[in-house]
Each structure stands twice: as C-alpha cells, then as structure tokens.
Amino acid sequence: SCAICLEEMVDSELLTHTPCGALLCATCLESSQQHIATESGHMPCPVCQQVVLPSEAFIPLATPEDPSSIIKLLQITILFRYEDEPGILSLLGHPALLNLPSNESVDYYYSAVSSLVPAHLTTKPWSLALTDRKGRYCSRCLFSSQCRGCILTNAMKEVSLKPGDHLCVSFHRLSHDFVQEASRVEVHSSLDTYWSSIASLQDCLELFAQKEILGSDNPWWCPQCEQNQEAIRHLTISHLPNT
C-alpha cells in the first residue's frame, strides 16, 4: 500500500524508492512535490528523508502486461434504503462494509451483498444502486440530473467501482414493522470477549496506546543505520488537557 494515503494497490500502480523501499502512489508523490519540492524539483523522500529528484529516484515497482487487467480491492460501504412515499427515499437498518474487487460482474456484486440483507427482508425484491454516502443521489451522474442512483442491471457486462462509490440496497414500499425490525440494535455476544462491563475511559486510552509490532512485512526505516528494521511502535500520552 502507499505509505501516505495507505490505499491498497497492485504493484504496477506503485512507485518505489529503492534505497529505503518506500512505496508511493503517483497521486501522493505528485502532491508531495507540489508542497515540499524545491525550485530545482528536488524533495526529501517521505520515508527516509533523503533529498532526491522524484522523476529519477522513484521507479515503478512492477509493469503490468495488460494495464486494463488491474483490479483493486476497495472497501465499499453498503447502505439500505426504501421508498417511504412516491419519490421519497429513506435509509433503514445499519450500513455495512465489504471488501470488493473494483472490476467484476453484476451477478458477483449482487451475490456478495445478498449476505448482508436482513433475514426478514430476503423475500422482498431489491436492487443495487450506485449512490453517494447518504444513499439519496447517484455517485456518478451530475447532481443537476437528480439521478437517485444508477441501478446495476444484467445489461452491464462488467461494473467498475471507484473510491467514493457506495452500493445501496434499494427496496420498494415496506411496512412500518419491516422498517422497525431492520433498524433494531442487537448486542452481539462477541463484545463479551473485550469487556465484561461498560468500557471506561482508561480502557479506551490503553487500547489507543497499546504497542504495535512492526515486522518484516511492515518495517521501520532506521535513520542511523539507513536500513529497514523490525521495531515496536508505542504511543504515549505525556500531558492531558484540562477537561
């Protein structure tokens, strides 16, 4: 993944600085140049701080044989909505997250999302639409078109998801009981493994400051020996605000 935006990408979409092994996407590298590059175009590497000329120091990590075959794994928000009144759409239930490939068939996305549909609504007809984060308008069409979300249909051979897309499960008219049941909150038994009672502020601070091991797959760049090293990252709070 890119060391700045942390977005997961295939190797052919990443640039690397060979001496320190830094990985950056083209967008973040260009943004860094705009903010910190000198008049000559030189800038410090965001990882090892060595002053370099990006066009020469950063090289592609890999070259794809077929650029059109690049498939990303995106974290997509799944929303649920229904038509409350003619032309009026309302959200229901609770949103969910799914890791989905950026390019797949319509049937694949319907199958992946179907497992998230509330059990009492599985018999109701529904469709998938590309919407914004509020589930009201399309994430692709211009706002002036007032599109309520492009519906994924079998007429589409393949769908290309983009960062910022949300998949919305759209139902038609639902009774009040169905809406209430979908919005019901259930305390899952898995929470018992974390706390036997309500979490305290101390519990939250301890989780926030817990140690993280940086292993060989995510090493730390040591400025002393100028090599990647395994390390332990630990956050500490030295001063608390007056609250």
Side-chain angles (χ1 to χ4, degrees):
S1 62
C2 173
I4 295 180
C5 67
L6 304 180
E7 182 177 346
E8 294 185 356
M9 300 180 178
V10 295
D11 291 351
S12 56
E13 293 183 299
L14 292 169
L15 301 170
T16 182
H17 182 216
T18 306
C20 69
L23 296 177
L24 300 178
C25 66
T27 302
C28 289
L29 181 60
E30 182 180 351
S31 178
S32 298
Q33 286 180 266
Q34 294 175 351
H35 287 86
I36 60 177
T38 62
E39 293 183 359
S40 62
H42 289 77
M43 58 169 274
C45 169
V47 175
C48 67
Q49 297 301 303
Q50 179 184 352
V51 178
V52 298
L53 188 62
S55 59
E56 297 178 356
F58 286 87
I59 61 175
L61 185 60
T63 303
E65 296 180 0
D66 180 12
S68 63
S69 65
I70 296 176
I71 298 179
K72 298 180 183 178
L73 189 64
L74 302 177
Q75 191 172 67
I76 301 296
T77 302
I78 311 300
L79 303 172
F80 301 89
R81 70 181 184 184
Y82 70 105
E83 190 175 25
D84 192 10
E85 296 179 12
I88 299 178
L89 298 172
S90 301
L91 293 177
L92 79 152
H94 311 287
L97 290 174
L98 268 184
N99 290 322
L100 296 172
S102 57
N103 297 280
E104 259 297 351
S105 65
V106 172
D107 289 339
Y108 177 90
Y109 292 128
Y110 271 88
S111 177
V113 173
S114 63
S115 62
L116 299 177
V117 176
H120 69 288
L121 293 177
T122 53
T123 58
K124 300 291 183 180
W126 56 274
S127 58
L128 272 182
L130 289 169
T131 69
D132 59 12
R133 61 187 178 86
K134 294 184 178 180
R136 295 180 180 176
Y137 296 99
C138 186
S139 60
R140 301 293 181 86
C141 300
L142 294 175
F143 181 76
S144 57
S145 68
Q146 295 294 295
C147 176
R148 293 306 183 96
C150 291
I151 304 296
L152 305 189
T153 65
N154 290 327
M156 303 176 180
K157 294 183 178 180
E158 188 177 76
V159 178
S160 295
L161 297 180
K162 301 176 181 178
D165 280 337
H166 294 67
L167 288 177
C168 193
V169 179
S170 301
F171 296 93
H172 292 293
R173 291 294 189 88
L174 294 175
S175 66
H176 178 73
D177 291 339
F178 279 109
V179 175
Q180 289 292 100
E181 178 63 22
S183 302
R184 185 170 59 87
V185 177
E186 179 181 354
V187 179
H188 198 270
S189 58
S190 61
L191 293 177
D192 296 337
T193 61
Y194 291 97
W195 297 291
S196 57
S197 59
I198 299 176
S200 66
L201 179 59
Q202 183 65 32
D203 293 328
C204 296
L205 290 175
E206 288 178 357
L207 281 176
F208 176 76
Q210 67 182 356
K211 295 180 179 180
E212 177 185 1
I213 298 176
L214 302 178
S216 57
D217 58 336
N218 183 28
W220 170 67
W221 173 260
C222 176
Q224 298 296 326
C225 64
E226 297 186 347
Q227 291 183 356
N228 287 327
Q229 300 285 356
E230 295 187 7
I232 295 178
R233 179 163 57 188
H234 187 200
L235 298 175
T236 58
I237 300 175
S238 60
H239 179 71
L240 295 176
N242 295 322
T243 56

